[in-house]
Amino acid sequence: MLDLTKVAAQANAAIDHLRDGQVDHQIRLDDVTNLLDKSSLDFETLRQKIETSGKKTPWLMAGLVGPPGERFPQPPTPPNHTVLATDGSHIDVDRHQSVRCYLINIGQVRLNYGDDASAELSNIPKLYAGKAEMYLSNGLHKQAVESTLLGIKRTLAEFSHLATMSGDVPPERSALALVDGSLILWGLASEKYPDFVSQELLENGYLQTMEEFRLLAEHRCIALASYISFPRSADVVNSLRLVRCPKVVADCDKHCKNTPSDIRPCEFVAGLQDSDLFGRLLNNNERSAVFYSQSRISGRYGQHRVHFYYLKLTDEIARVEVPQWVATDTEKLALTHALILDQCHRGNGYPVALAEAHEQAVVTGVDRASFQHMLEHWLIAERLPQTTSAKSQSKRTRWV
């Protein structure tokens, strides 16, 4: 049991550290905000420097589409529109149990606004237990679908359901298809997975669904976007490091490997996040300029490459991600801005469609226990052997 009286004795020292850090944080934030506000910032030079230095820095930088200090006011909201949202949760494979299976539950929401206002909320659970579902394989090797890969498979299921729902929207109606979290499959960015895994999940799965969205939106006003609340990214701030870098190409290992970090010119933004910067720069309901991700995994997306902007709400800065075909379409980009703001205003600061999708998808602790009991009941009914690890039995037995 945690002894909070011992923790409280350490609190004063921790608060002093936080207070000192806040003063330094404000100085750095003033510096970078003033830099971005200057009309003398050479956008084209910075853009080219980012492109030539992108793979030579230890930090991820955002690619520039336009001047990074641009601001855009809230566009008008279409009177008749639809917002679609999906969210998911899952029960992972339990290696302490004899039954190898997992469950994915997808919550989906359709909200119609305007003359025919209505709401449809539902969830779709699916149990996976077959060998072909438990593993990804190329015929010679196989990879178990669990943990990170199961999370990615759940994301694919969310997008698949969202694409199906989008296809049912009347062609004349404006619509926003919305998910929570990043469009970037960060779980595949690791090199620990063999090529056939990323081929199956990314090229044959995720990007095919993205292409379905793009084709559907070619002749309709449908936009796809993801919403990230309280983002911790620093892509844009990292790009501004290059403004102070004296080198034509910022090759950090070559030029600054032996230079102490506290005297490097680029360290003026150290510790800052994009939300800090745009919290200063933007007014309520405004969005920032559009940027694009230079992550290796996003570079494999082709015409679906992830672009993003920041949105100023009353209580926070949100990051909105869109595929390239939305970012380059003025009407669709404005639709994401207008409808996400409208959703946030209706949902006390968070998109109401996503909040409702989450409620439909959530799997509680009671649900997990009931699911496990149901599996045990099936095994007993079919007279199949039940085996569990000693660790699992110990956790389910009260000793004291």
Side-chain angles (χ1 to χ4, degrees), residues 95-160:
R95 69 182 185 87
H96 296 286
Q97 303 295 329
S98 57
V99 180
R100 288 190 58 82
C101 63
Y102 57 87
L103 181 140
I104 295 177
N105 189 39
I106 302 298
Q108 54 185 33
V109 169
R110 181 195 310 271
L111 301 177
N112 295 318
Y113 296 94
D115 298 334
D116 57 346
S118 62
E120 299 174 23
L121 296 81
S122 62
N123 62 70
I124 303 175
K126 184 174 181 180
L127 179 64
Y128 299 81
K131 289 184 178 180
E133 298 171 329
M134 300 304 298
Y135 296 93
L136 298 174
S137 174
N138 64 351
L140 295 175
H141 304 92
K142 64 181 183 179
Q143 182 79 40
V145 178
E146 56 188 16
S147 189
T148 299
L149 291 186
L150 178 52
I152 294 173
K153 187 163 185 178
R154 185 191 77 191
T155 298
L156 267 60
E158 294 172 14
F159 274 82
S160 178

Side-chain angles (χ1 to χ4, degrees), residues 299-338:
R300 297 170 59 183
Y301 281 29
Q303 61 187 330
H304 306 294
R305 186 169 195 160
V306 175
H307 288 54
F308 62 93
Y309 61 83
Y310 288 93
L311 190 61
K312 177 70 176 292
L313 304 167
T314 303
D315 298 321
E316 74 165 352
I317 296 291
R319 172 165 162 149
V320 177
E321 295 184 350
V322 297
Q324 180 175 300
W325 51 269
V326 172
T328 55
D329 185 310
T330 303
E331 183 181 11
K332 290 182 174 60
L333 186 64
L335 186 68
T336 66
H337 184 180

Side-chain angles (χ1 to χ4, degrees), residues 171-186:
E172 70 280 1
R173 193 175 184 88
S174 298
L176 172 66
L178 194 59
V179 293
D180 181 65
S182 180
L183 295 180
I184 302 173
L185 296 182
W186 290 110

Side-chain angles (χ1 to χ4, degrees), residues 37-318:
D37 276 341
K38 287 183 178 179
S39 58
S40 59
L41 183 65
D42 190 335
F43 156 66
E44 188 59 34
T45 298
L46 178 59
R47 185 187 66 79
Q48 293 178 3
K49 192 171 184 178
I50 291 171
E51 290 182 358
T52 57
S53 306
K55 297 181 180 179
K56 302 178 184 295
T57 65
W59 8 266
L60 180 63
M61 296 183 293
L64 303 186
V65 176
E70 286 186 319
R71 305 182 317 195
F72 297 85
Q74 179 179 4
T77 301
N80 296 307
H81 66 269
T82 296
V83 178
L84 309 169
T86 55
D87 196 13
S89 59
H90 64 262
I91 299 177
D92 208 336
V93 179
D94 188 343
R95 69 182 185 87
H96 296 286
Q97 303 295 329
S98 57
V99 180
R100 288 190 58 82
C101 63
Y102 57 87
L103 181 140
I104 295 177
N105 189 39
I106 302 298
Q108 54 185 33
V109 169
R110 181 195 310 271
L111 301 177
N112 295 318
Y113 296 94
D115 298 334
D116 57 346
S118 62
E120 299 174 23
L121 296 81
S122 62
N123 62 70
I124 303 175
K126 184 174 181 180
L127 179 64
Y128 299 81
K131 289 184 178 180
E133 298 171 329
M134 300 304 298
Y135 296 93
L136 298 174
S137 174
N138 64 351
L140 295 175
H141 304 92
K142 64 181 183 179
Q143 182 79 40
V145 178
E146 56 188 16
S147 189
T148 299
L149 291 186
L150 178 52
I152 294 173
K153 187 163 185 178
R154 185 191 77 191
T155 298
L156 267 60
E158 294 172 14
F159 274 82
S160 178
H161 284 282
L162 193 61
T164 300
M165 294 169 64
S166 298
D168 295 333
V169 176
E172 70 280 1
R173 193 175 184 88
S174 298
L176 172 66
L178 194 59
V179 293
D180 181 65
S182 180
L183 295 180
I184 302 173
L185 296 182
W186 290 110
L188 291 180
S190 169
E191 297 181 357
K192 69 178 181 179
Y193 296 118
D195 291 341
F196 74 86
V197 171
S198 60
Q199 178 70 32
E200 179 66 22
L201 295 177
L202 183 61
E203 280 83 3
N204 299 342
Y206 192 60
L207 295 183
Q208 281 195 10
T209 304
M210 283 280 201
E211 182 64 9
E212 290 179 30
F213 273 112
R214 189 190 67 81
L215 294 175
L216 183 66
E218 274 190 335
H219 306 293
R220 303 186 185 192
C221 191
I222 293 181
L224 171 66
S226 73
Y227 184 90
I228 304 174
S229 178
F230 201 61
R232 311 296 289 176
S233 307
D235 309 33
V236 178
V237 167
N238 285 338
S239 297
L240 296 177
R241 287 175 179 264
L242 300 193
V243 177
R244 296 279 177 83
C245 176
K247 306 299 182 180
V248 176
V249 176
D251 190 333
C252 298
D253 282 343
K254 179 179 179 180
H255 301 301
C256 297
K257 186 174 183 179
N258 298 317
T259 305
S261 60
D262 58 342
I263 63 173
R264 295 174 189 169
C266 65
E267 287 297 304
F268 78 107
V269 298
L272 297 181
Q273 297 174 347
D274 292 348
S275 57
D276 298 322
L277 173 60
F278 291 107
R280 278 280 193 89
L281 189 68
L282 300 175
N283 296 317
N284 283 350
N285 300 330
E286 288 183 336
R287 73 162 175 86
S288 71
V290 173
F291 307 89
Y292 65 88
S293 173
Q294 293 200 120
S295 63
R296 182 178 302 177
I297 187 70
S298 179
R300 297 170 59 183
Y301 281 29
Q303 61 187 330
H304 306 294
R305 186 169 195 160
V306 175
H307 288 54
F308 62 93
Y309 61 83
Y310 288 93
L311 190 61
K312 177 70 176 292
L313 304 167
T314 303
D315 298 321
E316 74 165 352
I317 296 291

Side-chain angles (χ1 to χ4, degrees), residues 87 107-109 111 121-122 350-361:
D87 196 13
Q108 54 185 33
V109 169
L111 301 177
L121 296 81
S122 62
Y350 183 76
V352 65
L354 287 179
E356 294 297 338
H358 170 76
E359 289 300 316
Q360 290 294 316

